[in-house]
Amino acid sequence: MAGDVARPDITDVGGFRRPRSWWRVLRIVLLVSWVAWAALSWWSAPREASVVQARSDLSSGRMVSYEWAGGWASTGRWGWTDGRAPRFSGRSGPLFLWRTGDWRVHYTEFDRGSTGPVSPGSFDATRYSGPQAAAFDEVLLSANLQPRWPGVDAPPPVRTLPVLLLLSFLTVLVLGPDPARGTRWFWFWVLTGVPFGLGLIWWLARERPWYPADHRPPDASGRDQRDRWYIGLLIGIASSIAASGLLYGLRHVLGTWYVPQGAGT
């Protein structure tokens, strides 16, 4: 600590000395990356649309890629889609997802109590979920939309930024200064458990080397007073439950355009 006071521009990092300016730059880069990921994730999150809109986007050329799915499945991860992803069944339909040229993703469900333009029994039930899906798939094939990318090809930053953020977090957490407010395992569970990557923001705002936090001194028995791993785990669980309830309420107040979801719940 004395070295930090005497040389405020230098910080010890795993036995090496690094200028504080590098930490400032990295902090800004991580924060900007998180904002970019959050904005792009929200923008490209699947939003419910109608069969009519699907046909309109196809006929007008706005549809650039698509995918059929059997429904929605939970991924166990948090995002703007409540941790849901398309569940592929090997057949086309009933769930249909497509992306337009502005990276917006929409979804709809075919054969909702309607036989569509194809009469029952005139389609291959092993390939299609219903006659309406079968008829629309024929139009899609004639439009030559290629490739049929799984996940409707989300913007590349949505796929790469979370990996880069996690690697940066782990690198600093393992090789950087010893955390002052919580143990390394505490911050690991906070980052991986708190929804929407908000644990990263908390870490950037309240922990070394980003925040000038002093170590919590041991108690009279010499026990470490920093927050332990189980506290981080409990924070992750509690925040996930709270986020689920908050999203549910906001979705009913603001609508699914502002608070998109992966399934029509």
Side-chain angles (χ1 to χ4, degrees):
M1 294 299 295
D4 287 344
V5 174
R7 301 273 311 271
D9 60 328
I10 299 294
T11 299
D12 276 323
V13 181
F16 297 94
R17 300 181 73 78
R18 293 289 186 267
R20 281 191 182 275
S21 59
W22 283 105
W23 289 124
R24 297 191 187 101
V25 172
L26 182 57
R27 189 185 197 183
I28 294 173
V29 169
L30 291 176
L31 181 60
V32 171
S33 298
W34 179 87
V35 172
W37 165 79
L40 287 172
S41 296
W42 175 83
W43 179 263
S44 61
R47 288 168 169 82
E48 188 171 13
S50 64
V51 172
V52 173
Q53 183 175 341
R55 293 194 176 105
S56 174
D57 285 349
L58 177 61
S59 61
S60 63
R62 291 192 297 268
M63 186 182 298
V64 297
S65 63
Y66 69 95
E67 187 60 78
W68 289 102
W72 295 101
S74 175
T75 64
R77 298 189 302 270
W78 272 95
W80 292 110
T81 57
D82 288 359
R84 296 186 176 101
R87 172 177 52 81
F88 302 105
S89 60
R91 297 193 304 171
S92 296
L95 184 64
F96 179 74
L97 302 94
W98 74 96
R99 178 176 71 81
T100 52
D102 58 357
W103 291 102
R104 303 306 296 268
V105 176
H106 307 276
Y107 69 91
T108 190
E109 187 173 334
F110 283 84
D111 300 294
R112 286 184 173 178
S114 172
T115 59
V118 182
S119 60
S122 61
F123 66 96
D124 186 353
T126 62
R127 294 180 55 194
Y128 302 102
S129 62
Q132 200 176 43
F136 191 70
D137 194 55
E138 290 184 5
V139 180
L140 287 170
L141 294 175
S142 64
N144 293 321
L145 287 180
Q146 294 294 334
R148 298 172 67 172
W149 293 321
V152 202
D153 59 304
V158 174
R159 301 191 300 267
T160 58
L161 280 177
V163 177
L164 294 177
L165 289 171
L166 180 60
L167 290 177
S168 300
F169 164 79
L170 292 176
T171 300
V172 175
L173 191 64
V174 174
L175 302 179
D178 193 30
R181 296 183 177 274
T183 64
R184 286 185 167 93
W185 279 111
F186 166 80
W187 286 112
F188 173 81
W189 287 115
V190 165
L191 180 75
T192 57
V194 176
F196 305 111
L198 292 175
L200 178 72
I201 305 301
W202 185 9
W203 177 61
L204 291 174
R206 299 297 296 168
E207 187 56 273
R208 298 177 66 195
W210 325 108
Y211 184 82
D214 294 329
H215 274 279
R216 293 177 176 174
D219 59 15
S221 63
R223 182 179 178 182
D224 192 345
Q225 293 297 293
R226 293 178 298 173
D227 294 328
R228 310 301 291 271
W229 67 269
Y230 53 84
I231 298 178
L233 181 61
L234 291 174
I235 289 174
I237 295 173
S239 60
S240 296
I241 296 174
S244 179
L246 179 62
L247 286 177
Y248 181 84
L250 290 176
R251 187 170 295 127
H252 282 73
V253 173
L254 302 177
T256 56
W257 196 94
Y258 291 101
V259 189
Q261 59 183 12
T265 55

